[in-house]
DNA sequence: AGGGTGACCCGCT
DNA sequence: CAGCGGGCCACCC
């Protein structure tokens, strides 16, 4: 269960968003990669948590996928996430982004 | 301080 | 290739 979403975001969460913003259009990064960018290569799970808190489009959270290329999650649904990626030129097949697009 | 949850990951079967 | 189990981490009550 997810009670109420806190408005005050921790340092960690902000770092996650900052790293996510750096992902270039047309490319994608894995949760682990983002975790590594902020200096916590093992916090991939926590990264997913942080991104789930972000409901705004200012952060390209749709450019973050799983390490195996599978889509992962998205507040507005997996379908929407895939569409966004494709609209940016990222090819998706069988609910997975091609490895070549992963940084 | 402790327990539960989640947009994860990896190894084994 | 799919399913299961155990491990990791940050955050909430």
């Amino acid at each position: 269960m997810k009670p109420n979403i806190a408005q005050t975001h921790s340092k960690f969460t902000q770092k996650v968003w900052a790293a996510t913003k750096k992902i270039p259009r047309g490319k994608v990064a894995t949760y682990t990669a983002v975790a590594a960018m902020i200096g916590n290569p093992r916090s991939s799970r926590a990264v997913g948590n942080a991104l789930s808190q972000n409901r705004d489009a200012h952060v390209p959270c749709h450019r973050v996928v799983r390490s195996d290329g599978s889509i992962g999650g998205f507040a507005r649904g997996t379908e929407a996430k895939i569409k966004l990626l494709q609209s940016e030129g990222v090819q998706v097949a069988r609910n997975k982004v091609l490895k070549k697009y992963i940084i």
Side-chain angles (χ1 to χ4, degrees), chain A residues 77-92:
Chain A
T78 306
E79 299 296 320
K81 186 168 180 177
I82 294 177
K83 278 191 174 183
L84 283 169
L85 288 173
Q86 293 181 329
S87 68
E88 292 187 350
V90 178
Q91 298 182 352
V92 180

Side-chain angles (χ1 to χ4, degrees), chain A residues 30-103:
Chain A
T30 66
Y31 291 97
T32 305
V34 174
M37 285 183 224
I38 63 178
N40 296 283
R42 297 190 184 95
S43 308
S44 59
R45 195 157 200 185
V47 169
N49 255 332
L51 289 179
S52 69
Q53 289 178 45
N54 174 51
R55 307 267 173 164
D56 198 351
H58 290 69
V59 178
C61 46
H62 59 277
R63 292 180 195 158
V64 185
V65 298
R66 290 207 203 180
S67 56
D68 68 341
S70 51
I71 303 307
F74 196 60
R76 297 170 199 153
T78 306
E79 299 296 320
K81 186 168 180 177
I82 294 177
K83 278 191 174 183
L84 283 169
L85 288 173
Q86 293 181 329
S87 68
E88 292 187 350
V90 178
Q91 298 182 352
V92 180
R94 297 193 215 77
N95 273 331
K96 286 187 181 179
V97 298
L98 304 191
K99 296 283 186 179
K100 56 182 300 185
Y101 292 99
I102 302 176
I103 302 174

